[in-house]
Amino acid sequence: MLLLGIWILLALIPCAGTTEELFEVSVWPNQALVEFGQSLTINCSTTCRDPGPSGIETFLKKTQLGKGPQWKEFLLEDVTENSILQCFFSCAGVQKDTMLHITMYQPPKQVILDLQPEWVAMDEAFTVKCHVPSVAPLQSLTLTLLQGDQELHRKDFLSLSVASQRAEVTVSVRAQRETDRCNFSCRAELDLSPQGGGLFHGSSATKELRIFEFSQSPQIGKSSLLEIGVAETMSCAVARVFPAQEAIFRMFLEDQELSASSSWKGDAAWASTTIRAMETGDQELTCLVSLGPVEQKVKKSVHVYSFPPPILEVEDAYPLAGTDVNVTCSGHVLTSPSPTLRLQGAPNLSAPGEPVWLLFTAREEDDGRNLSCEASLEVQGQRLLKTTEIQLHVLYKPRFEESGCPGNQIWVEGMDQMLACMPEGNPAPALVCIWNGMIIDLDVPQKATQNHTGTYCCTATNQLGSVSKDIAVIVQALHEGISSSTVFIIVIFTLGIAVITIALYLNYQPCKRNRRKRAPGRREQNEAEESQFTDLHAELCNSHHC
């Protein structure tokens, strides 16, 4: 019996070893990639024909979906982290198991780029930072910072402790003008191909970097004095600013904002506006310039003063020659303090606030003379001057001077000739010359003949009277006996007379224009006198035997 028991025991031992070697346990899938929060179906199976107890071991929530003699299927729900699952089966008292590594992944759906700051001063450092709030596995992630299309920095997360890292990358860059308006972005790549998955991409929104330079304060270009009611230009400029075209100017007089127009060239920017102060006293000009995050302000105090031009009064601006002219120069009542006055021709300056007088007798030479009244005022240590002028027009009767109207004139036969006669007088006299009972045109040259020899009667008339003069004209024949030098002298003499006549005519044209500026009463009187000119001329000619 003892031998039989030992034999049976020895027979059973090899059988048990044979059963353990023959059955296997497997799990499907053999690699598991699960997106965060998703579910996974697991199938555990064995080759044992009559398996004993079996199942899976995991901390994940599981639900058995089905089973068969040699398999079991489970649903793993809400996978939020990496885990290891154990699938086991027992066969003939022997248990076997297999492991499944479950990898949870999160694609880079949100990629965030930060620029610190978005406006950067020239030559200062700025930070470009990229981070992905939710991404896994971190060791499969690569972050790339881009400046435009150029790669600025790349970072992977294979080294160091994964638990101690965050999905972010930071780089510091020094600002240069070339980087102004550069676009920065970040690209994230999650490569799961080693785990049997794919390649996931994510990109951040593009952000623009602004570079600026604003190291110098603005300057106000305006004197410290401002005259009340007078429009003056105020300018404000910045010598070195970048980008100059984006500088924003605001200008104020006290609390009143002024409308400004700005310009720029290179690294300089400026603005100008028109100021019209309506109150006297000390006021403040302000220029405020902003560029990006920077704002600079400059202020300037100005003194607003009142200084109207002085008052110049002439008793009669159109006096007759030989009559007295009374001139008064006085300061304006709105001028404060009272100015010092100077009247041209007056011997002395006035005391402040006192008028100045001048009395003189009008002469013909005073015609066209400018009378000047100058006011001087000291404001805030600066000497200011204002001047008022009036032109004097001295009136006198017509007359003939030998220099302007020679009594004897020689013409050369066959040459173009004009009667040389220009009277003096103010207003400029009207001139009429008669020969052989006909009025001749003094402005049109005529070819001289022996028939032009004779006496011409010229009459000059203005509103103050008339005067006549006889002019003897001799026409000399151009014959062989006359030397070439004599002819030359005659031609030069004739041309000289013509030039003098034209010059005198042009000189008296302003007087004709000035005559129109006289007072209405005198203008009407002149028109009445001119209407009688023809009859008066005929009478004068008869009395001189024209």
Side-chain angles (χ1 to χ4, degrees), residues 64-125:
Q64 183 171 315
L65 299 177
K67 66 178 181 177
Q70 295 175 292
W71 61 272
K72 285 185 178 180
E73 188 175 62
F74 297 90
L75 177 66
L76 305 180
E77 300 180 71
D78 194 21
V79 179
T80 58
E81 59 182 311
N82 296 339
S83 64
I84 299 176
L85 178 142
Q86 182 182 20
C87 174
F88 65 90
F89 273 92
S90 60
C91 184
V94 177
Q95 179 175 311
K96 277 189 176 184
D97 58 39
T98 185
M99 303 295 183
L100 173 64
H101 290 271
I102 301 175
T103 302
M104 181 277 299
Y105 72 91
Q106 280 184 280
K109 295 180 179 179
Q110 186 180 16
V111 182
I112 300 173
L113 179 74
D114 289 327
L115 281 180
Q116 299 294 334
E118 293 185 2
W119 280 84
V120 187
M122 181 73 174
D123 291 329
E124 291 190 0

Side-chain angles (χ1 to χ4, degrees), residues 399-471:
R399 69 173 183 272
F400 289 105
E401 298 287 350
E402 186 66 18
S403 59
C405 188
N408 296 294
Q409 302 184 25
I410 299 175
W411 292 4
V412 179
E413 185 178 10
M415 299 188 66
D416 289 338
Q417 302 287 324
M418 288 192 303
L419 191 66
C421 187
M422 184 62 65
E424 295 185 5
N426 192 24
L431 181 64
V432 174
C433 293
I434 296 177
W435 174 68
N436 289 338
M438 296 183 300
I439 297 177
I440 64 172
D441 191 346
L442 297 177
D443 296 328
V444 178
Q446 51 188 326
K447 194 173 295 293
T449 66
Q450 290 297 329
N451 293 332
H452 290 108
T453 299
T455 301
Y456 293 74
C457 179
C458 292
T459 302
T461 303
N462 67 9
Q463 289 85 346
L464 303 179
S466 296
V467 64
S468 295
K469 183 176 183 178
D470 290 338
I471 302 172

Side-chain angles (χ1 to χ4, degrees), residues 29 95 99 147 210 222 238 246 298 347 382 459 471 536:
Q95 179 175 311
M99 303 295 183
Q147 180 178 327
R210 297 309 314 274
K222 177 70 188 73
V238 183
E246 296 187 34
V298 62
Q382 295 189 39
T459 302
I471 302 172
L536 179 61

Side-chain angles (χ1 to χ4, degrees), residues 60 106 155 182 212 252 263 370 378 413 484 503:
L60 299 173
Q106 280 184 280
K155 180 180 179 181
C182 276
F212 73 94
F252 300 84
S263 304
N370 287 325
E378 184 172 338
E413 185 178 10
S484 59

Side-chain angles (χ1 to χ4, degrees), residues 2 26 43 172 320 486:
L2 179 59
S26 61
N43 187 295
S172 181
L320 293 173
T486 304

